[in-house]
Amino acid sequence: MKKVLSIFFMLAFTLMVFAQKTISGVITDGDGKALASASVTVEEPGKNAILAYGISNAKGEYKVTVTSSESNLDLKIKAFNQKPITRSIKNEDQKLNFSMDSQATEIQEVRLKTKLITKKGDTISYDLKSFENKNDRTLADVLKKIPGIEVNKDGTVLYQGEAINKFYVNGKDLMEGGYGTVNNSLPKDAVSKVEVLENHQPVSILRDKVPSEQAALNIKLKKSVTMTGRGEIGAGFSPLLWNVKLTPMFFGQKNQWVVNYKANNNGESVENEGNLLAFGNRWEGKRSQVSANRWLNVEQAQTPDLPEKRYLLNNVHFFSANLLTSPFKNKEWELKANVNYTYNDVERDSHTKTAYDDIPANNDLAGRTLEQSRRNDFYTNSAKAELIFTKNAKKGFFKNTTTWNGFWNTNNGFSGLDTTDENVPYISGNQSLQSPSGSFQNSLSTIIPWKDKLINVMSYFKYQKDKQTMKVNPASYTDYFTGLSTIGLYDTYRQYALSETLEVNHSASVGFTFKKLTIIPEIGLNMNFNNLKSLLSGSKDNIYMSLAGRNQNDVDWNELTPYTQVSFNYKSDRLNMNLTLPVNFYSIKYQDNLYNQLADKTKTALEPTFFASYDFASFFKYWVFASQSYDFGNFGFLYGGNVLTSAGNLSQRYVSDLSNSKMPEYLNRNVGTRLEYRNPLNNLFFNVRYNYGTMKRNIVETFATTGGIGGSIGIEARENSTKSQSESAEIGKYFPKFKSNISTSFTNSDSNSFSFFNENFIESKNNVQSWSAKFNNTYFSWLSIDYNISMNWRTNKNATKSTSQKSSGWSHNLAAYIYPSDNHTFGFNWDNSVTSTQGNTYKNPFYDLSYQYTWVKKKIDFELKWLNITNQKIYETVAVNIEQGNTVTQSYKIRPSQFMFTVKFNFK
């Protein structure tokens, strides 16, 4: 560990100090007037490779930093209507002033050409039109083709592999982190540029004082006042299919709004557009993606690693509305309101075949093969309302966020198991779960300047109540897996759970600024009060009775954590650093009101975090990260009575050999580093990263089974330490001459873990390697190609028994479009997914065809699609569980062949 840290800091020191030279000066014209926007480049003699790049400001001043081992360099200066200058200079720190002679040129033909990528300060601008193809319609279609930017499956936008912290449209944050709606529905024709704001600090008053390690995205529209939006209406078969998308938008200087209604049964989870994808930073207060606490669940059919349009059997309606307005003449104040509602009905079906080794951890399972079928109906009703009042100005900050969430969900399930047991050859169970839930939270943060100081006060309040009732019929299904030993006594089991959570956080801080250093001492108090009540009962002839033994709960989990911390922030033109030193005084109390168990944890913990970034040689940025934190578990980690968490799993969250349950204590340490290169002159972006982490634990998870699929889940006191390490690299480049964007990435990760399976202590070691690449090409006016491929290789070792298994898989997607004219588009799509282990290989190819007629004048598309033309109905995969000594083959029900006719249009 010490060697790794030494290497990091030696590398950081080398990059920051060795061989870096700064060249600066002033550029003027022949009359001695300052020349702005003159480009300055530094190259090695005889090589057409730019080492450093800069642009003169309004005063004619320029500065470039270069790293090179050459003794001499070529410095070149260009400016409009000026004669270019090329000068051979020494590779040393120096100030050089230049006077440029005017040079008039007779222009015979004027051709305006926009630069693909430009950089000014911490802002990188992409011309959207340079990366689109004829089949692209929305911002999301183009964004994933831009070098340096990636878009995850859930819609999260990444820059240089890290999630963005803000998504602005014309500089305003209308969506407050839930930007999926705008990204998926904003017409590309309305967008002028996409700007990446590196090291973006969202709070204006802190921008020169507190650095940020994240970037933001700003979407610049062609017009300052824009009425736009996107719509789709479609129908198809088989079965009867429909799709509606209506998303009008307005972006003005004072007001912005987006109204969104999307509904379909063709396999698109549009309700995810309401998810929070960006959270800003801590100075804006606390925000979270609220969800119901899941104490119980029906057994669920699995989902394949495929695009969801292949397998999602849904019937969804999603409505949302977002409004931003400036209610006062002072435009620094903004009022934001958003509401959304989701109704969703999802069906799911899968089949699992589990084949145990001849000598697994438990001889009762040796050589056995179990087959289980699962079917589900998930009914989701959820609503959210949020009101945000904010002032984000250079002279002060205020933000108050009030959020209400409600959930009314019903889940049904069926599970049938062929046990190959002579006594019980087949067993099945029906399951249902009712789970209403509600949450209310309010977050306040304000920063007030006082003389040369900044005073920050934050307050957060959250109350949540979750009620769940699950029924399993017949009770014998649960008895088979969990060993409740009530065979014949009950027809049905009913598990009830009720939890209440109250969270309150308060803090105050004062910021002192000394030139480029800002010191922020802070004090705070975090409180968390929780209660869980549960009861497992059985019914005979519709009369429910409590089960004997430890089958009910009434537990409290309360946390009181005062803390004090000091944060050191340094920000200059090239160096950003943050060191936060919090001292947390943990006081956690677990009390079981039924079984007289009590556990207390008090600890004073130093949990520092550090990050630093350094820009050098114009295009490079180097990062270092380090952190230490403790985890003492959370509400639900311990409870004294059994809980039937699913129809086949009985959870026991207490240490049976102790009079009082043992509190968990995990110590996490992580270090990491990243080197970035982003050069807008040659459209090249890459990053290399390394991360290393350790976790010291005193608790191990346990699982015991005789049925092979379900069983008893618990914990056991056992000291153990885990390690994880990962290395990755990513590179992307755009080739303007060939109109091609190519990127590739590789990741290697190693980790270990500890667990108990059927009372056997097991250490497993895992190595995962993955490689992916994407290629986009629009070289020919009549053809565009998008190609994505990913491959993975896994090695899983049971270090305790010295056994190992290897598996691999790969998937790819090819989308090709032919444009015989501006009105016609023919499309072909090919997905393929392959998994392989122990000589078993499963291939799953899918093919789609499409035809689109475009009414160019009205910008209306008429599209006909034939999906899954081979009518494949089953998707199969294979995987190995080295801890339990089995091979699992999964079969999933997916969507059959279907036809869709869709009309697509812009609102303006």
Side-chain angles (χ1 to χ4, degrees):
M1 181 68 178
K2 293 181 179 178
K3 291 182 178 179
V4 173
L5 286 172
S6 299
I7 293 172
F8 285 165
F9 289 116
M10 288 177 62
L11 179 58
F13 179 79
T14 301
L15 290 171
M16 294 178 185
V17 178
F18 181 70
Q20 290 190 13
K21 306 301 178 185
T22 300
I23 304 163
S24 61
V26 178
I27 303 171
T28 60
D29 60 15
D31 297 327
K33 295 181 179 179
L35 273 178
S37 301
S39 65
V40 181
T41 58
V42 179
E43 304 175 5
E44 291 185 350
K47 298 181 181 179
N48 189 23
I50 296 174
L51 299 175
Y53 170 77
I55 297 177
S56 62
N57 60 22
K59 297 179 181 180
E61 299 169 339
Y62 75 93
K63 181 192 289 186
V64 291
T65 303
V66 61
T67 301
S68 175
S69 59
E70 296 289 334
S71 59
N72 293 298
L73 301 169
D74 287 344
L75 185 143
K76 298 180 180 180
I77 303 176
K78 295 181 180 180
F80 183 69
N81 273 343
Q82 305 294 324
K83 186 176 181 179
I85 294 176
T86 299
R87 180 79 57 86
S88 178
I89 62 173
K90 292 184 177 181
N91 186 5
E92 61 184 28
D93 292 328
Q94 55 191 303
K95 289 187 177 182
L96 297 174
N97 299 331
F98 295 93
S99 177
M100 303 187 74
D101 297 328
S102 61
Q103 177 177 280
T105 303
E106 182 180 351
I107 301 176
Q108 297 178 349
E109 180 182 4
V110 178
R111 298 183 64 190
L112 298 178
K113 184 178 180 180
T114 303
K115 291 184 179 180
L116 303 176
I117 308 173
T118 57
K119 186 177 187 297
K120 186 176 181 181
D122 283 339
T123 301
I124 296 178
S125 299
Y126 299 86
D127 176 47
L128 201 69
K129 195 169 185 64
S130 301
F131 299 95
E132 68 182 35
N133 66 37
K134 291 183 178 180
N135 198 57
D136 293 333
R137 293 294 182 267
T138 66
L139 173 63
D141 293 335
V142 188
L143 203 59
K144 56 190 176 184
K145 301 173 184 176
I146 294 177
I149 295 178
E150 297 287 334
V151 181
N152 281 345
K153 290 181 180 179
D154 65 356
T156 303
V157 177
L158 309 179
Y159 173 69
Q160 293 285 46
E162 298 294 325
I164 62 173
N165 61 7
K166 286 290 182 179
F167 185 98
Y168 300 105
V169 178
N170 279 353
K172 292 184 178 293
D173 184 16
L174 164 66
M175 304 307 292
E176 282 286 349
Y179 55 78
T181 297
V182 172
N183 195 28
N184 294 330
S185 302
L186 180 63
K188 67 176 180 61
D189 294 336
V191 180
S192 171
K193 291 180 181 295
V194 172
E195 294 180 336
V196 173
L197 314 177
E198 297 185 315
N199 301 106
H200 179 65
Q201 169 58 260
V203 180
S204 296
I205 197 172
L206 301 178
R207 279 184 187 158
D208 297 326
K209 301 174 179 65
V210 179
S212 169
E213 71 272 30
Q214 290 181 284
L217 226 60
N218 180 41
I219 311 303
K220 291 195 71 173
L221 304 181
K222 293 178 179 178
K223 298 178 181 179
S224 59
V225 178
T226 301
M227 178 68 191
T228 186
R230 186 74 178 158
E232 295 183 18
I233 298 177
F237 63 92
S238 120
L240 179 63
L241 303 173
W242 46 271
N243 175 34
V244 177
K245 296 181 181 180
L246 301 171
T247 314
M249 309 176 183
F250 175 79
F251 301 99
Q253 295 179 329
K254 184 178 179 180
N255 303 310
Q256 292 186 353
W257 55 261
V258 173
V259 177
N260 182 38
Y261 172 70
K262 294 183 178 177
N264 70 78
N265 69 342
N266 66 347
E268 185 177 358
S269 57
V270 292
E271 70 277 9
N272 290 336
E273 291 185 349
N275 292 344
L276 289 177
L277 303 175
F279 297 89
N281 67 17
R282 70 178 299 269
W283 301 104
E284 296 181 85
K286 186 172 181 178
R287 297 189 76 209
S288 60
Q289 180 69 46
V290 177
S291 60
N293 283 321
R294 287 289 185 183
W295 301 105
L296 319 173
N297 218 329
V298 300
E299 292 182 304
Q300 296 189 14
Q302 302 299 307
T303 58
D305 186 18
L306 277 176
E308 63 183 12
K309 66 179 181 181
R310 301 292 184 195
Y311 67 85
L312 184 61
L313 303 171
N314 68 330
N315 182 340
V316 62
H317 296 261
F318 176 69
F319 170 81
S320 67
N322 295 73
L323 169 68
L324 180 153
T325 185
S326 298
F328 308 125
K329 291 183 179 180
N330 183 350
K331 294 183 180 179
E332 293 176 345
W333 288 93
E334 291 180 342
L335 177 66
K336 304 173 190 178
N338 69 75
V339 295
N340 66 56
Y341 171 77
T342 299
Y343 168 81
N344 197 12
D345 175 8
V346 173
E347 296 179 14
R348 196 179 293 171
D349 196 333
S350 72
H351 181 83
T352 303
K353 180 179 179 181
T354 304
Y356 280 88
D357 299 338
D358 292 335
I359 308 177
N362 187 323
N363 291 331
D364 292 339
L365 299 171
R368 291 183 62 185
T369 299
L370 310 174
E371 297 195 39
Q372 185 175 42
S373 296
R374 290 175 175 173
R375 294 195 302 271
N376 295 111
D377 280 305
F378 302 111
Y379 299 96
T380 301
N381 278 282
S382 64
K384 175 184 176 181
E386 191 168 54
L387 191 65
I388 303 173
F389 194 45
T390 180
K391 175 186 178 181
N392 192 3
K394 283 289 186 181
K395 295 185 178 180
F397 176 80
F398 177 91
K399 187 171 186 177
N400 189 85
T401 304
T402 303
T403 309
W404 171 83
N405 291 85
F407 305 89
W408 306 269
N409 300 336
T410 300
N411 296 338
N412 297 320
F414 169 82
S415 181
L417 177 67
D418 184 353
T419 67
T420 64
D421 185 334
E422 293 181 358
N423 297 320
V424 188
Y426 180 81
I427 191 169
S428 64
N430 290 293
Q431 309 147 43
S432 66
L433 174 66
Q434 304 284 335
S435 53
S437 177
S439 171
F440 176 84
Q441 56 183 325
N442 190 85
S443 172
L444 169 67
S445 177
T446 182
I447 302 175
I448 303 170
W450 180 57
K451 296 181 179 180
D452 59 344
K453 304 176 184 64
L454 296 176
I455 300 175
N456 171 239
V457 177
M458 289 192 284
S459 178
Y460 176 77
F461 169 90
K462 178 184 177 182
Y463 173 77
Q464 182 164 328
K465 184 176 182 179
D466 301 276
K467 181 180 178 182
Q468 298 180 35
T469 305
M470 181 178 68
K471 295 181 180 180
V472 183
N473 183 18
S476 57
Y477 178 83
T478 296
D479 291 335
Y480 177 79
F481 293 111
T482 63
L484 278 173
S485 301
T486 60
I487 296 177
L489 294 179
Y490 304 108
D491 300 322
T492 302
Y493 282 130
R494 181 177 66 185
Q495 176 68 67
Y496 170 82
L498 173 67
S499 65
E500 293 182 271
T501 296
L502 175 63
E503 181 180 357
V504 181
N505 303 326
H506 299 301
S507 68
S509 65
V510 179
F512 303 87
T513 300
F514 306 95
K515 294 183 178 180
K516 296 180 180 180
L517 177 66
T518 300
I519 302 175
I520 306 175
E522 179 179 327
I523 59 172
L525 176 63
N526 298 328
M527 298 177 286
N528 206 308
F529 307 98
N530 309 273
N531 176 262
L532 169 66
K533 292 181 173 67
S534 72
L535 175 65
L536 176 59
S537 56
S539 74
K540 187 71 172 180
D541 300 324
N542 292 323
I543 299 175
Y544 281 94
M545 296 165 283
S546 299
L547 269 65
R550 300 174 68 126
N551 292 303
Q552 57 181 320
N553 284 289
D554 182 359
V555 300
D556 294 312
W557 179 285
N558 299 324
E559 302 178 27
L560 186 67
T561 309
Y563 72 89
T564 180
Q565 71 176 35
V566 59
S567 176
F568 300 90
N569 304 276
Y570 179 85
K571 183 173 176 60
S572 67
D573 292 339
R574 291 180 303 200
L575 178 63
N576 292 325
M577 288 195 302
N578 170 269
L579 173 63
T580 302
L581 300 172
V583 179
N584 296 308
F585 305 93
Y586 288 100
S587 176
I588 305 173
K589 182 179 180 180
Y590 162 75
Q591 181 171 339
D592 192 313
N593 300 314
L594 295 179
Y595 306 110
N596 297 319
Q597 287 188 338
L598 179 68
D600 284 299
K601 170 67 70 173
T602 57
K603 189 178 183 69
T604 300
L606 175 64
E607 300 179 277
T609 61
F610 171 77
F611 82 84
S613 68
Y614 184 74
D615 289 90
F616 64 98
S618 295
F619 308 119
F620 284 91
K621 178 176 287 188
Y622 180 70
W623 294 83
V624 176
F625 308 89
S627 67
Q628 173 178 289
S629 63
Y630 284 86
D631 182 358
F632 302 106
N634 50 31
F635 178 43
F637 188 89
L638 297 174
Y639 41 80
N642 298 329
V643 176
L644 192 65
T645 53
S646 70
N649 288 310
L650 189 69
S651 183
Q652 305 164 337
R653 304 296 301 185
Y654 56 92
V655 181
S656 57
D657 60 344
L658 298 177
S659 59
N660 287 322
S661 289
K662 188 169 185 178
M663 298 284 285
E665 181 175 335
Y666 301 163
L667 173 59
N668 298 278
R669 291 191 175 108
N670 295 281
V671 294
T673 183
R674 183 168 82 242
L675 177 65
E676 298 177 3
Y677 178 84
R678 57 265 193 275
N679 188 341
L681 298 178
N682 60 12
N683 310 309
L684 177 64
F685 293 75
F686 74 76
N687 66 81
V688 180
R689 60 185 66 210
Y690 174 84
N691 292 282
Y692 178 83
T694 64
M695 179 185 291
K696 186 177 180 180
R697 310 190 308 169
N698 64 340
I699 297 289
V700 175
E701 303 287 331
T702 68
F703 180 69
T705 180
T706 56
I709 302 295
S712 298
I713 302 170
I715 56 176
E716 183 165 323
R718 176 71 70 96
E719 298 290 333
N720 64 98
S721 295
T722 63
K723 298 178 181 179
S724 62
Q725 178 176 292
S726 67
E727 308 87 17
S728 64
E730 179 183 14
I731 183 170
K733 180 173 174 59
Y734 184 76
F735 298 88
K737 184 177 180 180
F738 302 101
K739 294 185 178 180
S740 297
N741 182 37
I742 301 176
S743 67
T744 184
S745 64
F746 178 81
T747 300
N748 176 76
S749 63
D750 295 275
S751 63
N752 72 321
S753 62
F754 295 89
S755 63
F756 277 92
F757 176 61
N758 283 349
E759 299 183 352
N760 293 283
F761 185 62
I762 298 170
E763 179 187 8
S764 60
K765 295 183 177 180
N766 305 291
N767 172 260
V768 181
Q769 296 178 338
S770 61
W771 172 79
S772 65
K774 72 176 183 179
F775 170 72
N776 312 109
N777 179 271
T778 58
Y779 181 76
F780 300 102
S781 61
W782 53 272
L783 174 68
S784 66
I785 296 176
D786 296 326
Y787 183 72
N788 296 271
I789 184 172
S790 62
M791 307 180 73
N792 65 80
W793 303 267
R794 298 174 180 268
T795 300
N796 306 104
K797 296 181 179 180
N798 185 329
T800 306
K801 292 183 173 294
S802 300
T803 58
S804 65
Q805 297 285 355
K806 292 185 178 182
S807 60
S808 62
W810 65 275
S811 62
H812 79 114
N813 170 262
L814 171 67
Y817 298 94
I818 299 175
Y819 316 99
S821 70
D822 290 340
N823 303 90
H824 304 280
T825 302
F826 295 91
F828 171 72
N829 192 83
W830 174 27
D831 290 330
N832 197 9
S833 178
V834 178
T835 59
S836 179
T837 187
Q838 293 184 323
N840 298 316
T841 300
Y842 292 92
K843 300 178 180 180
N844 301 273
F846 298 90
Y847 307 95
D848 307 324
L849 292 174
S850 66
Y851 166 73
Q852 181 172 280
Y853 174 80
T854 302
W855 188 358
V856 178
K857 185 177 180 179
K858 298 292 185 179
K859 294 185 178 181
I860 299 177
D861 299 319
F862 302 90
E863 181 187 63
L864 180 64
K865 268 190 175 182
W866 183 8
L867 301 173
N868 190 8
I869 61 178
T870 59
N871 199 28
Q872 185 169 340
K873 298 179 180 179
I874 298 295
Y875 175 86
E876 295 180 296
T877 63
V878 61
V880 173
N881 188 324
I882 192 66
E883 292 88 356
Q884 298 184 15
N886 58 47
T887 301
V888 180
T889 304
Q890 293 274 12
S891 300
Y892 310 90
K893 180 182 178 181
I894 57 177
R895 300 185 70 91
S897 181
Q898 59 189 42
F899 295 87
M900 284 290 297
F901 175 75
T902 307
V903 180
K904 306 177 182 180
F905 55 90
N906 292 346
F907 279 102
K908 193 173 181 180

